Amino acid sequence: MKLKTLLTTTAFAALMAAPALAQQISVKAGVLNDRSGLYADLSGEGSVIAAKMAVEDFKATEKGIKVEIVSADHQNKPDVGSTIARTWYDQDGVDLILDVPTSSVALAVNQITKEKNKIHINSGAASSDLTGKACSPNTVHWTYDTYALAQGTGGAMVKAGGDSWFFLTADYAFGHALERDASAVVTKNGGKVLGVVRTPFPGTDFSSFLLQAQASKAKVIGLANAGGDTINSIKQAGEFGITAGGQKLAGLLVFLSDVHSLGLATAQGLVLTESFYWDTNDQTRGWSDRFAKANGGKKPTMVQAGVYSGMLHYLKAVEAAKSKDSAVVMAKMKELPTDDPLFGKGSVRADGRKLHDMYLFEVKKPAESKGPWDYYKQVSVLPAEQAFRPLAESECPLVKK
Amino acid sequence: MFELLGIPPQALFGQVLLGLINGSFYAILSLGLAVIFGLLNIINFSHGAQYMMGAFVAWMCLNYLGINYWAALLIAPLIVGATGIAIERLLLKRIAHVDHLYGLLLTFGLALIIQGLFRNSYGSSGLPYQIPAELRGGQNLGFMFLPYYRGWVVVASLVVCLATWFLIEKTKLGAYLRAATENPTLTQAFGINVPLLVTLTYGFGVALAGFAGVLAAPIYSVNPNMGADLIIVVFAVVVIGGMGSILGAIVTGFSLGLIEGLTKVFYPEGSATVIFIIMVLVLLVRPAGLFGRAA
């Protein structure tokens, strides 16, 4: 008898709860990045952890938003990435795709997201085309881009007297975009580009290209590459006495994980641009400690921080819009100011560009570092309006008059 | 001042030297592969992973045990070779009598497992390993700056290559080995322990990969993908030289390094594919490879 009462009560309660459940919004987010190749440390599992932390910190369940996170490895191949994105959108009910490092993959996912009318919040890719000529009403480019990197490192080097450049460019979409944006900054500031060499991606031996750069007698060798390519180029430039000979290296895109891998002895003195560093203030330190606990002691890169911040803002927009309809949520994301412990206050512009300050850092000498992951000292802050491409110069069809 | 194809001769000499330096890695890696294939008929696809293990063992020796580069140069190949012996005894022995494609698949699977294990433990962006203090710096040759360490790599790999060639072609032990591959049953009848020879040969080939790994550690970042990036090129070198040919592996190793280096000057974008173009051309003209004997 007792059991029967219990069952009836439960069934009744479930029935009562059903309307409440119907109002709940359930969101499925896909973290798509490199989980096995040369960008796995700067994105990979860490980005998934960051996305989960955003859901926790937002207290999504209490606010009636049910979030499920899935992840996959795109292996830095546009075809693999496109297939996963299509399957996610068409079959698995994924509402938004986060992260997506590797510009060639990001541009492909950008296109598919637009076709399927979903949302893409990109943190990992660099190409400024994502909010330029390839811009889409469905994409937000969150953390950094080649324009901002070029402004930061490129501008600083030219001002410091490095007025002739030679580029080592990774031969794919990202390298080309970075080389283009950096060349523009160099020439705009009165410098000259003496030459370019396009290196196969990914590569291991850069000594031959470095010797060509050396022979050009350029004052600065611009490394328009990333990850393992950058690490090997910096190592080998040291080995061949290129830096000792007076030529300067400009690491246009260097992540915290790269510096960790190079070791301070090799990386010291390198000037680089990032939008996030874990040791900036109490909030970033607190968050990064929690992150590191979940990530085997490794501190977050700006890409992982950007996934957190992007996910958080998306959830805020869903809460405000009380809907997960792509157009409505995107409008909210652009309308609401962004504010989070990692990037501070900012906004999302009409072309999908997220705006915040960028920082110019210099890598510490081994003696200055107090321990693992204590790597950067801040050189200067690049205010958001100077760091990112002004709307007036944009080729984005969404903002063209 | 005259110029050769638009490049000043001094720069060209620099690139030639650099090509030879890279070639010495190809030579020593393809030598190990050739030894293993020539004597065991196993296409050892885990060679790249074993090269990576060499670099990692050197890193572990330094960071966990304080053992320096020079000692690691000896210890790491021994440790990696020992894992090779274990693999041969436990796994490869059991498939020695079937088609050698099974050996290829088995070693390929092993390579993926080994790389996965290292990636999970150490991440994918690599670990720092400094050039030993004795070999830091370099010499300005006029046409290029030659780091002492790179010079040492060429010398070390040349010595190891020649010693291996001598061991197999000119000594009694080498004669036993060659006899065992020609006709194992007959060789065993003469009282020679053929299974032991096979195990030791595999161990030796793997140790060569480990040795190359230690040589590479200070130049490239020590990371789990370093072997996977290289192994396909090295296979192409072995195929061009002739599968199993010791001399072929050494000579093509150095010359393809050279050709690749020159491609980097004249058409950088093509430098990743030039070796495969040569492979296709060679296979069309001489299917057994440049130094291979037709089966």
Side-chain angles (χ1 to χ4, degrees), chain B residues 3 9 17 44 86 95 117 143 150 172 176 191 197 206 209 215 218 254 275 278 286:
Chain B
E3 287 200 348
L17 189 59
N44 185 32
I95 57 158
L117 288 175
F143 59 88
R150 297 261 174 166
K172 206 169 176 186
Y176 288 160
L197 269 184
V206 171
L215 282 183
F254 278 101
I275 286 183
I278 295 174
R286 283 185 66 101

Side-chain angles (χ1 to χ4, degrees), chain A residues 39 42 102-103 124-127 144-146 149-150 153 172 174 178 222-231 234 250-256 258 270-275 302-303 358 376:
Chain A
Y39 300 148
L42 63 93
T102 314
S103 295
S127 174
Y144 67 102
D145 63 24
T146 48
L149 296 170
T153 314
Y172 75 107
F174 149 72
L178 188 48
L223 302 177
N225 51 22
D229 285 5
T230 311
I231 294 173
I234 295 174
L252 291 166
L253 179 49
V254 181
F255 295 97
L256 188 70
D258 300 337
L270 200 65
V271 173
L272 51 94
T273 308
E274 292 227 50
S275 58
M302 65 169 162
V303 171
M358 298 288 290
Y376 294 170

